[in-house]
Structures are given as structure tokens and as C-alpha cells.
Coordinates of all heavy atoms in Angstrom, one line a residue:
G65 N 75.8 89.2 96.3 CA 77.1 88.6 96.5 C 78.2 89.5 96.9 O 79.4 89.0 97.1
V66 N 78.0 90.8 96.9 CA 79.1 91.8 97.1 C 78.9 92.5 98.4 O 77.7 93.0 98.7 CB 79.1 92.8 95.9 CG1 80.2 93.8 96.1 CG2 79.4 92.1 94.6
L67 N 79.9 92.6 99.2 CA 79.8 93.3 100.5 C 79.7 94.8 100.2 O 80.5 95.4 99.5 CB 81.1 93.1 101.3 CG 81.2 93.8 102.6 CD1 80.1 93.3 103.6 CD2 82.6 93.6 103.3
Q68 N 78.6 95.4 100.7 CA 78.4 96.9 100.5 C 79.0 97.7 101.6 O 79.6 98.8 101.3 CB 76.9 97.1 100.4 CG 76.1 96.3 99.4 CD 76.6 96.7 98.0 OE1 76.5 97.9 97.6 NE2 77.0 95.8 97.2
Q69 N 78.9 97.3 102.9 CA 79.4 98.1 104.0 C 79.4 97.1 105.2 O 78.5 96.4 105.4 CB 78.5 99.3 104.3 CG 79.1 100.3 105.3 CD 78.3 101.5 105.5 OE1 77.3 101.7 104.7 NE2 78.7 102.4 106.4
A70 N 80.4 97.2 106.0 CA 80.5 96.5 107.3 C 80.9 97.5 108.4 O 81.9 98.1 108.3 CB 81.5 95.4 107.3
D71 N 80.0 97.8 109.3 CA 80.2 98.8 110.3 C 79.3 98.5 111.6 O 78.5 97.6 111.6 CB 79.9 100.2 109.7 CG 80.8 101.2 110.3 OD1 81.2 101.1 111.5 OD2 81.1 102.2 109.6
T72 N 79.4 99.4 112.6 CA 78.5 99.2 113.8 C 77.1 99.6 113.3 O 76.9 100.4 112.3 CB 79.0 100.2 114.9 OG1 78.9 101.6 114.4 CG2 80.4 99.9 115.3
P73 N 76.1 99.1 114.0 CA 74.7 99.4 113.6 C 74.4 100.9 113.5 O 73.8 101.4 112.5 CB 73.9 98.8 114.7 CG 74.7 97.6 115.2 CD 76.1 98.1 115.1
L74 N 75.0 101.7 114.5 CA 74.8 103.2 114.5 C 75.4 103.8 113.3 O 74.8 104.8 112.7 CB 75.2 103.8 115.8 CG 74.7 105.2 116.1 CD1 73.2 105.2 116.2 CD2 75.3 105.6 117.5
N75 N 76.6 103.4 112.9 CA 77.3 104.0 111.8 C 76.6 103.7 110.5 O 76.5 104.5 109.5 CB 78.8 103.6 111.7 CG 79.6 104.4 112.7 OD1 79.2 105.4 113.2 ND2 80.8 103.9 112.9
L76 N 76.1 102.4 110.4 CA 75.3 102.1 109.2 C 74.1 103.0 109.0 O 73.7 103.4 107.9 CB 74.8 100.7 109.3 CG 75.8 99.5 108.9 CD1 75.1 98.2 109.1 CD2 76.3 99.6 107.5
Y77 N 73.4 103.3 110.2 CA 72.2 104.1 110.1 C 72.6 105.5 109.9 O 71.9 106.2 109.0 CB 71.5 104.0 111.5 CG 70.2 104.5 111.5 CD1 69.1 103.8 111.1 CD2 69.9 105.8 112.0 CE1 67.8 104.3 111.1 CE2 68.6 106.3 112.0 CZ 67.5 105.5 111.6 OH 66.3 106.1 111.7
D78 N 73.6 106.1 110.5 CA 74.0 107.5 110.4 C 74.8 107.8 109.1 O 74.7 108.9 108.6 CB 74.7 107.9 111.6 CG 73.9 108.0 112.8 OD1 72.6 108.1 112.7 OD2 74.4 108.1 114.0
R79 N 75.6 106.9 108.7 CA 76.5 107.2 107.5 C 76.5 106.0 106.5 O 77.5 105.3 106.3 CB 77.9 107.4 108.0 CG 78.1 108.8 108.7 CD 79.6 108.9 109.1 NE 80.4 108.8 108.0 CZ 80.7 109.7 107.1 NH1 80.0 110.9 107.1 NH2 81.5 109.5 106.1
P80 N 75.3 105.7 105.9 CA 75.3 104.6 104.9 C 76.3 105.0 103.8 O 76.3 106.1 103.3 CB 73.8 104.6 104.4 CG 73.3 105.9 104.8 CD 74.0 106.4 106.0
A81 N 77.0 103.9 103.3 CA 78.0 104.1 102.3 C 77.5 104.4 100.9 O 78.2 104.9 100.1 CB 79.0 102.9 102.3
N82 N 76.3 103.9 100.6 CA 75.7 104.0 99.3 C 74.2 104.0 99.4 O 73.6 103.8 100.4 CB 76.3 103.0 98.3 CG 76.0 101.6 98.8 OD1 75.0 101.2 99.3 ND2 77.1 100.7 98.6
L83 N 73.6 104.2 98.2 CA 72.1 104.2 98.1 C 71.5 102.9 98.6 O 70.4 103.0 99.3 CB 71.7 104.5 96.7 CG 71.5 106.0 96.3 CD1 71.3 106.0 94.8 CD2 70.4 106.6 97.0
F84 N 72.1 101.8 98.3 CA 71.4 100.5 98.7 C 71.4 100.4 100.2 O 70.3 100.1 100.8 CB 72.2 99.3 98.1 CG 71.7 98.0 98.6 CD1 70.5 97.5 98.0 CD2 72.3 97.3 99.6 CE1 70.0 96.3 98.5 CE2 71.8 96.1 100.1 CZ 70.7 95.6 99.5
V85 N 72.5 100.7 100.9 CA 72.5 100.5 102.3 C 71.5 101.6 102.9 O 70.8 101.2 103.9 CB 73.9 100.8 102.9 CG1 73.9 100.7 104.4 CG2 75.0 99.7 102.3
A86 N 71.5 102.8 102.4 CA 70.6 103.8 102.9 C 69.2 103.4 102.8 O 68.4 103.6 103.8 CB 70.8 105.1 102.1
G87 N 68.8 102.6 101.7 CA 67.4 102.2 101.6 C 67.1 101.0 102.3 O 65.9 100.7 102.7
F88 N 68.1 100.1 102.6 CA 67.9 98.9 103.3 C 67.9 99.0 104.8 O 67.1 98.4 105.4 CB 69.0 97.9 102.8 CG 68.7 96.5 103.3 CD1 67.8 95.7 102.6 CD2 69.4 96.0 104.4 CE1 67.5 94.4 103.0 CE2 69.1 94.7 104.8 CZ 68.2 93.9 104.2
I89 N 68.7 99.8 105.3 CA 68.8 99.9 106.8 C 67.9 101.0 107.3 O 67.9 102.2 106.9 CB 70.3 100.2 107.2 CG1 71.2 99.0 106.8 CG2 70.4 100.5 108.7 CD1 71.0 97.8 107.6
G90 N 67.1 100.6 108.2 CA 66.1 101.6 108.8 C 64.7 101.1 108.6 O 64.3 100.5 107.5
S91 N 63.8 101.2 109.6 CA 62.4 100.8 109.5 C 61.5 101.8 110.2 O 61.6 101.9 111.4 CB 62.2 99.4 110.1 OG 60.9 99.0 110.0
P92 N 60.7 102.5 109.4 CA 60.5 102.5 108.0 C 61.8 103.0 107.3 O 62.7 103.6 107.9 CB 59.4 103.5 107.8 CG 58.7 103.7 109.1 CD 59.7 103.5 110.1
A93 N 61.8 102.7 106.0 CA 63.1 103.1 105.2 C 63.3 104.5 105.1 O 62.3 105.4 105.2 CB 63.0 102.4 103.8
M94 N 64.5 104.9 104.8 CA 64.8 106.3 104.5 C 64.1 106.8 103.3 O 63.9 106.1 102.3 CB 66.4 106.4 104.3 CG 66.9 107.9 104.0 SD 68.6 107.9 103.5 CE 69.5 107.6 105.1
N95 N 63.6 108.1 103.3 CA 63.0 108.7 102.1 C 64.1 109.1 101.2 O 65.1 109.8 101.6 CB 62.3 110.0 102.6 CG 61.1 109.7 103.5 OD1 60.1 109.3 103.1 ND2 61.4 110.0 104.8
L96 N 64.1 108.5 100.0 CA 65.1 108.9 99.0 C 64.4 109.6 97.8 O 63.5 109.2 97.2 CB 65.7 107.5 98.4 CG 66.5 106.7 99.5 CD1 66.9 105.3 99.0 CD2 67.8 107.5 99.9
V97 N 64.9 110.8 97.6 CA 64.3 111.8 96.7 C 65.2 112.2 95.6 O 66.4 112.7 95.9 CB 63.8 113.0 97.5 CG1 63.1 114.0 96.6 CG2 62.9 112.6 98.7
A98 N 64.9 112.1 94.3 CA 65.7 112.6 93.2 C 65.8 114.2 93.3 O 64.8 114.8 93.5 CB 65.1 112.2 92.0
A99 N 67.0 114.7 93.1 CA 67.2 116.1 93.1 C 68.3 116.6 92.2 O 69.0 115.7 91.5 CB 67.5 116.5 94.6
H100 N 68.5 117.9 92.1 CA 69.6 118.4 91.3 C 70.4 119.4 92.2 O 69.8 120.0 93.1 CB 69.1 119.3 90.1 CG 68.3 118.5 89.1 ND1 69.0 117.6 88.2 CD2 67.0 118.3 88.9 CE1 68.1 117.0 87.4 NE2 66.9 117.4 87.8
S101 N 71.7 119.3 92.1 CA 72.6 120.2 92.9 C 72.8 121.5 92.2 O 73.1 121.6 91.0 CB 73.9 119.4 93.1 OG 74.8 120.3 93.9
K102 N 72.6 122.6 93.0 CA 72.7 123.9 92.5 C 73.1 124.9 93.6 O 72.4 125.1 94.6 CB 71.5 124.4 91.8 CG 71.6 125.8 91.0 CD 70.3 126.2 90.4 CE 70.5 127.5 89.7 NZ 69.2 127.9 89.0
E103 N 74.3 125.5 93.5 CA 74.8 126.5 94.4 C 74.6 126.1 95.9 O 74.1 126.8 96.7 CB 74.0 127.8 94.2 CG 74.2 128.4 92.8 CD 73.3 129.6 92.5 OE1 72.5 130.0 93.4 OE2 73.4 130.1 91.4
G104 N 75.1 124.9 96.1 CA 75.2 124.5 97.5 C 73.9 124.0 98.1 O 73.7 123.8 99.3
K105 N 72.8 123.9 97.2 CA 71.5 123.4 97.6 C 71.1 122.2 96.7 O 71.6 122.1 95.6 CB 70.5 124.5 97.6 CG 70.7 125.6 98.6 CD 69.6 126.6 98.6 CE 69.7 127.6 99.8 NZ 70.9 128.4 99.7
A106 N 70.2 121.4 97.3 CA 69.6 120.4 96.4 C 68.2 120.9 96.1 O 67.4 121.3 97.0 CB 69.4 119.1 97.3
L107 N 67.9 120.8 94.8 CA 66.6 121.3 94.3 C 65.6 120.1 94.1 O 66.0 119.2 93.2 CB 66.7 122.1 93.1 CG 67.4 123.4 93.2 CD1 67.5 124.1 91.8 CD2 66.7 124.3 94.1

């Protein structure tokens, strides 16, 4: 019931506002990987 993001299709695909939009938009879906941030890198 809550609006997550409203944008052009390309902006939704290239710049999803949050994890839900990232995982919902795109077929197949975006790969979402748990990581830790350290010294400018994701581990």
C-alpha cells in the first residue's frame, strides 16, 4: 500500500530507490548479494 518509487522505466531499472524496487524490476531479477563495506570496497 506504500509507493516505493515513481519514475521512467529506464530510471527504475538503472537507479532503483531501494532493495524492493531493485529486486522487483528486471527479468531475470537483479542479483542481490549480502556484503560488508571495507576501505571503499564491498567484501
